[in-house]
Amino acid sequence: MNRNPYSPHTDADRRDMLAAIGVSSVDDLLGAIPSDARRPALGLPQGMSEAEVQAHLASLAARNRPAGAGPFFLGGPVQRRYIPAAVPALAFRGEFLTAYTPYQPEISQGTLQSIFEYQSLLSELLAMDVVNSSMYEGASAVAEAALMAVRVTGRKRVVVATDVYFQYRETLRTYARGPELEIVEVPTRDLASSAAGVACLIVQHPDALGTLVDVRRIADAAHAAGALLVQVTEPHACALLEPPGKLGADIVVGEGQPLGIPMSFGGPYLGIIACRDALVRQMPGRIVGETRDANGMRGFVNTLQTREQHIRREKATSNICTNEAIAAIVASVYLALMGPEGLRAAARLGVERAHRLAERLAAVPGCGIGNDGAFFDRFLLTTPLGEEAVHAALRAEGIEGGGVAGRDGYTGRRGLIVQCTEMTTDAEMDALVRALGSTVAGAREKVTAR
Amino acid sequence: MRLPESGAATAAPALEPLLFELARDGRAGRHVRGAENADALIPAEFRRREPLRLPQLTEPQVVRHYMHLSEINYSVDTGMYPLGSCTMKYNPKVNDRVAALPGFAEIHPRQDDATVQGALALLWELEQLLVKVTGMDAVTLQPAAGAHAEFTAMLVFKAYHASRGDGGTRRRVIVPDSAHGTNPASAAMCGFEVTTVKSDARGNIDLDALKAALGPDVVGLMLTNPNTLGLFEERVRAVCDAVHAVGGLVYGDGANMNALLGLVRPGDLGLDCIHINVHKTFSTPHGGGGPGAGPLCVKERLRPFLPSPGIVREADGTFRRSSDDRPRSVGRVRSFFGSFGVLVRAYAYMRTLGDGGMVETSEDAILAANYLAARLRGRYELAYDRPCMHEFVLSAAAQKKKGAAALDIAKALIDEGFHPSSVYFPLIVPEAMMIEPTETEPKETLDAFADALLRIADRVDSDAASLHEAPLTAPLRRLDEVTAARHPVLRWKSPS
Amino acid sequence: MSVPDDLRYSKEHEWVRVDGDIATVGITHFAQEQLGDVVFVELPGQGSAVKQFASLGVVESVKAASDVYAPISGEITERNMKVIEKPELVNQEPYGNGWLVKVRVADKGEVGKLLSPADYRAHIGETAPSGA
């Protein structure tokens, strides 16, 4: 009996195959492996039936608290968004999910056309010339954008705003250890005056706290200094805000997870990267292009491949090989189903709820909104108590109260970063307002009692 | 760069219209609605003025569109996929189902540890399993794919050498000529120079050439074992010893771990670390290019430099994210904790297999590859004729002389109903055809594939030119990649 | 004619035609044949300095990228915009409209380090002069 439940071979098959090879056992094929290291005892647990695996994984899943279990205001690059039923039903079909990279275009048009559509949809949304077929996720996409700017300009200094997502800044610093780039962090308001001699300025709009940023002014300063402007953005925000391509961005990066991809505790996600036509030769990753077949039929192929590692090796624009193709297809299906009105509606609901909620929370004594200007669908809630204390108190009430700004290294920021989306309900908002009110009031009573 | 004028895109007949071509204004799906007046909350200077030209479609239109596209896509679910180096084995459905459980799919990576104990437990258990399978000591689950793990390891090597005071002098990474392109690319991304070392007549690293290339300026060696010829490095310990003798480190590219499970642990051979492509070795679906996940497993001396955070198991059995064991961490290489949804699938697969299933997986992969090689020997030249591991490389050089190149044979395989093997890789074999049948194809499928390749060999002998027309039965004929590259059309453009 | 008699050649398969101070540079018929269909050409801008046998630019086919080396040192006076727009010219007319750059020659003595047509023919394994 087979110990691997997915093994197809009968004992007779194995005998026949060994006979055809001319050996008596698989061990006869392992001569190159040092004999003292061969067949070590792994000490793994015994295998499980499918039913046992399902039950075991379900028991682990039950020890997690999913977002729907209580009021939920965490967000940032990863957002709880409504996923239309048809998204997983289509994108996770085995024909897409179990295909490899489309190296044989004649029999891979499903993947290739879907990716071409993804590139086209994101180009429209971002108003950028070229979108690649995907990067791993937002943070590494930011780092790759910086490396791209370094290649284009020949400069090794990169300036990033302190209100760019902290994971993105940390990842950028990690990547910079390789080519030994100088990474400088400045507040967003100082970006424009920091452009001299840099490869790029990296700005996020809306920023990590949800604040809207005048990107055009920063882009102009970058361009005047011969630097590139890299804008970090979010797909839903681009439905309502003037898109990066119209703000002067040369490279645009972002997290595509909100486009129908589950939060899944950090991945897999979808790294978005886009650029202007003139920079496409420095773009990392695969790109799909349109062409014809021998009969004149339209078809799609991976193109501009000489940029990539399998051809240029150490001179490639990046080492990326595996990407997030299925996530790009998910994003395409999502956008196709939502359409421009659906996408705008989802974005508007987040904006409307964030503003309504901010107003109510700011009315709690001692609380306020800490954004430097207008915000989009998340905001910085300042409280009279320590941010960690408030966060813990909300947690005790079963409320995920948002990100803790100080914990995440947003220089000079203290408070909770509260995210709203179309999933945020009135009941959740009521619960947060009530819990914050009682936490603050409770703390005051304690102070008074002393 | 020149992009053709709009409108050109729609002139050719097509298998399936683009979303944009199916759309009509006024058909929006409206899966979400409300808050029509929220734009007023956004200051006018920030509002979108650029039209949002996303296609407007009904849900049934979208469903049929993607169903049609799925019908013109080859996949493991539809047939054998003998792509060498890619390990296109069957992807069990239960793994997809458990990854979609709300307790996994609907948790946010910024939730407190207390609310994600099941996820942390799973990741911690997965790390233990990987340690046991690889013979290493510590694991980071962060890297998003194999190449990402390579880059991570190069950063770890750099930090390790710097901690010993010779970070500035070690600038060179040794890469065999049979290596994947990601190896030199990852080393270069880390600011290192790449020295290529040739292979010997048996398909091993040329040990003399390696020793000649080694010196005090060497960061380390990137070693794929079994290598991309499907051959186990016969002097792997001598290779590792030589690198260690000059103070270098040995990186294991785990792309071919599918051949080693339970048969040998890289940690017992002298390697200092190895990554795992879980989308190869542990059966997670390739998704048409991704996602993957690339856990990096290292020996104790490299633990302090791993990306942060890691996972710690407390005495009371609870888990928390922590960087305590990695004080000199290179930092994070991506946001959050890796491709969790992929790692869940890998964990489910590893638990399904268990001890015995794991070793049988590699035995069957090796058996299948050697069986196919035996069936094809004589009609195609085996690039290196010694027992292979899970894959082997043929050279179609003789066929090319007769007028049909490896590419033509690949396209002819499509007409035989199979996905082609990898071709033109590794670079050191002329007209290379790299075949990896995997352990999940039954003998009758292996036989059908061998029969197809033998029929094609007959065709090459009798009428090689006829292969230039292949494929004839696929959704499309051969595509014009030259025009695609000369005049790139990289997105749909509105004809208006 | 695959190796014209009026040109000088480099071992890396570039040709050069010196006319007064100005040298015209391209890649040989043999090189374009080896590369296959050229899809992209990257050339240095006017005014940049190039050094003999150092990288000058890149010529790409669908599945390969090859460095082009300067057969002679000097300053770029012109790059062929036609070939940038229509890379297929490198295949169609490697010695004509498919030229790559013009260089103001710094040291005519360098021509002596290049191969004669006969030597280049030998280098690529052509035994007799073309057309013979």
Side-chain angles (χ1 to χ4, degrees):
Chain A
M1 196 182 118
N2 288 321
R3 292 165 295 168
N4 167 10
Y6 307 113
S7 172
H9 301 312
T10 65
D11 291 346
D13 287 341
R14 287 202 178 92
R15 271 196 305 277
D16 291 349
M17 290 161 76
L18 287 168
I21 299 165
V23 295
S24 56
S25 78
V26 170
D27 282 282
D28 294 343
L29 300 168
L30 306 180
I33 302 177
S35 53
D36 64 302
R38 227 178 282 166
R39 296 188 180 274
L42 294 183
L44 299 179
Q46 281 309 302
M48 291 180 172
S49 70
E50 178 170 325
E52 287 167 337
V53 165
Q54 173 80 33
H56 172 54
L57 273 286
S59 76
L60 286 170
R63 289 164 61 192
N64 300 322
R65 190 169 194 273
F72 191 88
F73 298 95
L74 272 171
V78 182
Q79 297 168 7
R80 179 178 57 143
R81 292 269 175 196
Y82 180 71
I83 301 175
V87 170
L90 295 172
F92 295 150
R93 285 188 63 85
E95 296 89 335
F96 294 120
L97 190 63
T98 72
Y100 194 68
T101 304
Y103 287 141
Q104 300 292 339
E106 298 89 344
I107 48 173
S108 306
Q109 287 298 304
T111 296
L112 285 161
Q113 180 166 336
S114 298
I115 299 285
F116 183 82
E117 291 175 338
Y118 162 79
Q119 293 172 187
S120 304
L121 291 162
L122 267 288
S123 285
E124 289 294 337
L125 184 59
L126 304 172
M128 294 296 288
D129 298 325
V130 186
V131 177
N132 88 353
S133 71
S134 69
M135 304 299 284
Y136 303 135
E137 43 74 68
S140 51
V142 169
E144 289 271 15
L147 295 180
M148 190 173 157
V150 167
R151 285 193 297 277
V152 170
T153 61
R155 301 172 181 177
K156 294 191 83 169
R157 189 180 149 104
V158 169
V159 177
V160 57
T162 47
D163 288 330
V164 171
Y165 287 129
F166 79 101
Q167 303 97 334
Y168 293 13
R169 285 179 282 125
E170 286 184 6
T171 303
L172 174 64
R173 284 190 177 280
T174 304
Y175 270 65
R177 285 165 167 252
E180 295 170 15
L181 307 180
E182 183 190 358
I183 306 293
V184 181
E185 294 192 10
V186 303
T188 303
R189 64 174 175 277
D190 296 336
L191 271 181
S193 58
S194 309
V198 309
C200 63
L201 300 177
I202 305 179
V203 63
Q204 183 174 331
H205 164 57
D207 71 17
L209 312 170
T211 308
L212 301 177
V213 176
D214 181 1
V215 175
R216 231 182 243 111
R217 191 176 65 85
I218 300 164
D220 289 347
H223 296 153
L228 300 187
L229 192 281
V230 176
Q231 184 184 338
V232 182
T233 192
E234 283 161 38
H236 285 81
C238 289
L240 298 184
L241 301 177
E242 190 71 333
K246 296 292 164 184
L247 300 177
D250 300 291
I251 307 173
V252 178
V253 284
E255 177 53 68
Q257 177 274 334
L259 297 173
I261 298 161
M263 297 192 289
S264 279
F265 198 49
Y269 290 158
L270 169 64
I272 298 169
I273 188 164
C275 70
R276 299 193 180 282
D277 272 336
L279 304 180
V280 68
R281 294 272 163 186
Q282 292 300 335
M283 177 84 109
R286 285 192 275 272
I287 302 177
V288 173
E290 182 186 320
T291 188
R292 307 284 165 90
D293 81 349
N295 287 342
M297 291 283 281
R298 179 172 70 189
F300 302 90
V301 294
N302 283 321
T303 194
L304 306 181
Q305 294 185 67
T306 48
R307 300 165 298 109
E308 295 182 61
Q309 47 76 27
H310 63 286
I311 292 177
R312 264 224 170 86
R313 299 176 78 86
E314 65 267 29
K315 289 181 183 167
T317 54
S318 165
N319 68 341
I320 189 168
C321 178
T322 290
N323 59 13
E324 309 295 306
I326 203 73
I329 296 176
V330 167
S332 299
V333 179
Y334 175 88
L335 287 170
L337 289 165
M338 297 287 279
E341 274 317 304
L343 189 69
R344 273 195 284 254
R348 280 177 183 141
L349 284 162
V351 170
E352 186 267 334
R353 281 156 196 192
H355 284 77
R356 195 145 48 90
L357 179 60
E359 199 176 315
R360 292 176 67 191
L361 293 173
V364 174
C367 294
I369 304 304
N371 295 74
D372 293 340
F375 59 85
F376 193 68
D377 58 3
R378 65 179 166 265
F379 55 87
L380 179 66
L381 170 69
T382 59
T383 62
L385 307 173
E387 54 183 6
E388 290 287 358
V390 175
H391 185 260
L394 296 174
R395 192 73 278 294
E397 301 277 325
I399 299 171
E400 285 289 354
V404 181
R407 197 193 289 178
D408 292 348
Y410 296 111
T411 311
R413 311 286 189 184
R414 288 291 179 276
L416 297 183
I417 304 170
V418 180
Q419 173 86 49
C420 293
T421 70
E422 74 277 14
M423 300 293 279
T424 311
T425 63
D426 285 348
E428 286 177 298
M429 293 194 280
D430 292 344
L432 178 60
V433 171
R434 208 165 40 237
L436 183 72
S438 63
T439 301
V440 170
R444 293 197 162 194
E445 276 164 27
K446 272 187 207 158
V447 173
T448 319
R450 265 185 227 157
Chain B
M1 165 149 312
R2 228 157 27 124
L3 294 172
E5 289 308 305
S6 55
T10 55
L15 293 172
E16 169 68 15
L18 292 166
L19 286 169
F20 295 87
E21 295 160 351
L22 293 165
R24 296 288 182 278
D25 285 356
R27 263 185 195 159
R30 303 288 186 117
H31 289 76
V32 173
R33 58 175 82 195
E36 282 81 4
N37 300 321
D39 292 7
L41 298 167
I42 301 167
E45 67 269 28
F46 289 109
R47 277 180 226 153
R48 183 163 179 137
R49 284 184 292 277
E50 178 74 2
L52 183 59
R53 286 169 300 233
L54 296 177
Q56 299 184 22
L57 301 149
T58 64
E59 181 165 317
Q61 279 185 299
V62 175
V63 169
R64 286 184 184 159
H65 175 69
Y66 284 99
M67 291 300 291
H68 293 163
L69 289 179
S70 76
E71 288 162 5
I72 50 175
N73 221 41
Y74 197 93
S75 65
V76 173
D77 278 3
T78 49
M80 180 179 173
Y81 220 125
L83 269 181
S85 208
C86 304
T87 312
M88 295 299 285
K89 61 166 111 177
Y90 175 65
N91 312 140
K93 299 299 175 193
V94 67
N95 301 345
D96 296 333
R97 188 165 71 185
V98 293
L101 288 167
F104 292 136
E106 294 173 21
I107 49 175
H108 191 286
R110 296 293 292 159
Q111 285 181 223
D112 287 347
D113 290 344
T115 66
V116 291
Q117 282 295 304
L120 295 176
L122 183 150
L123 294 173
W124 188 86
E125 294 284 354
L126 177 60
E127 287 187 358
Q128 309 313 306
L129 295 176
L130 292 173
V131 160
K132 287 175 175 156
V133 167
T134 60
M136 296 289 167
D137 299 312
V139 181
T140 175
L141 298 172
Q142 250 186 52
H148 203 211
E150 294 172 22
F151 174 61
T152 303
M154 289 301 105
L155 290 172
V156 166
F157 282 16
K158 191 170 192 165
Y160 169 83
H161 288 308
S163 77
R164 295 159 58 87
D166 54 358
T169 54
R170 294 190 182 267
R171 311 292 312 172
R172 227 154 34 86
V173 172
I174 314 278
V175 176
D177 58 3
S178 58
H180 292 109
T182 50
N183 287 182
S186 298
M189 264 178 89
C190 209
F192 297 140
E193 288 166 39
V194 174
T195 301
T196 304
V197 169
K198 64 185 169 71
S199 305
D200 68 15
R202 287 185 60 76
N204 296 307
I205 291 188
D206 186 315
L207 197 53
D208 294 331
L210 173 66
K211 284 178 176 165
L214 289 170
D217 61 335
V218 164
V219 175
L221 166 73
M222 300 182 86
L223 180 72
T224 308
N225 187 28
N227 62 21
T228 59
L229 300 162
L231 301 174
F232 193 90
E233 188 63 49
E234 290 174 300
R235 290 164 302 186
V236 58
R237 281 186 172 143
V239 166
C240 293
D241 287 348
V243 176
H244 290 152
V246 297
L249 296 164
V250 181
Y251 176 78
D253 179 328
N256 294 337
M257 265 304 282
N258 205 43
L260 301 186
L261 301 174
L263 295 178
V264 66
R265 298 183 303 184
D268 295 340
L269 298 173
L271 283 78
D272 296 290
C273 62
I274 188 161
H275 83 249
I276 304 282
N277 298 93
V278 304
H279 48 295
K280 298 180 183 180
T281 314
F282 296 126
S283 83
T284 69
H286 284 71
L296 176 65
C297 313
V298 303
K299 287 286 193 185
E300 194 59 45
R301 63 172 162 164
L302 296 178
R303 181 201 295 266
F305 309 97
L306 287 178
S308 55
I311 302 163
V312 170
R313 186 175 190 269
E314 304 285 15
D316 64 358
T318 60
F319 298 89
R320 68 182 167 89
R321 281 165 277 196
S322 161
S323 304
D324 294 351
D325 67 338
R326 42 203 74 181
R328 312 182 76 152
S329 170
V330 296
R332 62 169 77 240
V333 293
R334 54 160 291 164
S335 41
F336 312 117
F337 221 95
S339 296
F340 177 74
V342 177
L343 297 171
V344 171
R345 289 174 169 87
Y347 176 74
Y349 179 74
M350 293 180 87
R351 293 306 304 266
T352 302
L353 260 51
D355 222 346
M358 202 75 78
V359 71
E360 192 176 82
T361 294
S362 288
E363 287 174 346
D364 283 347
I366 293 167
L367 182 65
N370 280 280
Y371 175 67
L372 269 186
R375 285 219 48 198
L376 297 168
R377 181 182 286 116
R379 299 305 308 281
Y380 291 91
E381 184 195 339
L382 274 165
Y384 297 84
D385 198 358
R386 62 169 165 110
C388 64
M389 298 297 281
H390 64 307
E391 65 191 4
F392 60 101
V393 178
L394 300 175
S395 170
Q399 281 76 15
K400 192 182 184 190
K401 285 200 190 106
K402 295 174 187 164
L407 182 70
D408 300 314
I409 295 169
K411 301 302 184 192
L413 270 171
I414 294 176
D415 283 333
E416 293 278 357
F418 291 98
H419 193 284
S421 66
S422 298
V423 287
Y424 300 108
F425 188 83
L427 306 175
I428 58 174
V429 175
E431 300 298 314
M433 296 177 59
M434 187 191 207
I435 297 172
E436 180 179 6
T438 82
E439 71 277 10
T440 55
E441 296 302 333
K443 180 169 175 294
E444 46 279 30
T445 306
L446 299 177
D447 282 327
F449 178 72
D451 292 343
L453 267 177
L454 294 174
R455 266 195 303 275
I456 291 168
D458 289 343
R459 274 181 69 194
V460 173
D461 289 342
S462 62
D463 183 12
S466 72
L467 272 69
H468 301 166
E469 296 301 309
L472 292 164
T473 59
L476 289 181
R477 302 284 306 281
R478 289 194 205 186
L479 288 112
D480 181 355
E481 298 190 44
V482 171
T483 303
R486 274 183 187 155
H487 309 292
V489 179
L490 307 179
R491 65 185 169 99
W492 176 85
K493 279 189 180 173
S494 165
S496 60
Chain C
M1 194 152 59
S2 68
V3 183
D5 285 326
D6 58 335
L7 307 177
R8 289 290 178 144
Y9 300 89
S10 70
K11 285 189 173 167
E12 303 283 358
H13 312 289
E14 291 85 18
W15 58 261
V16 60
R17 177 187 292 123
V18 182
D19 185 6
D21 285 348
I22 301 297
T24 306
V25 173
I27 68 167
T28 65
H29 174 79
F30 176 81
Q32 68 80 22
E33 215 171 49
Q34 293 291 307
L35 269 170
D37 294 314
V38 172
V39 300
F40 180 69
V41 176
E42 185 182 302
L43 299 172
Q46 199 179 328
S48 14
V50 294
K51 207 167 169 274
Q52 191 176 31
F53 306 134
S55 178
L56 164 86
V58 180
V59 175
E60 295 182 2
S61 63
V62 170
K63 298 262 163 85
S66 301
D67 281 321
V68 177
Y69 299 93
I72 198 155
S73 307
E75 181 193 317
I76 303 286
T77 58
E78 192 182 344
R79 56 176 172 168
N80 186 357
M81 294 310 291
K82 272 194 209 144
V83 89
I84 288 173
E85 282 167 28
K86 238 184 125 189
E88 50 268 46
L89 286 173
V90 174
N91 296 114
Q92 292 161 355
E93 306 175 52
Y95 301 111
N97 286 323
W99 63 274
L100 300 179
V101 293
K102 291 185 194 284
V103 179
R104 186 181 310 283
V105 178
D107 172 11
K108 282 197 185 174
E110 284 182 355
V111 174
K113 296 182 195 165
L114 296 172
L115 303 178
S116 68
D119 290 343
Y120 182 67
R121 276 184 208 111
H123 177 59
I124 61 175
E126 268 189 30
T127 46
S130 54

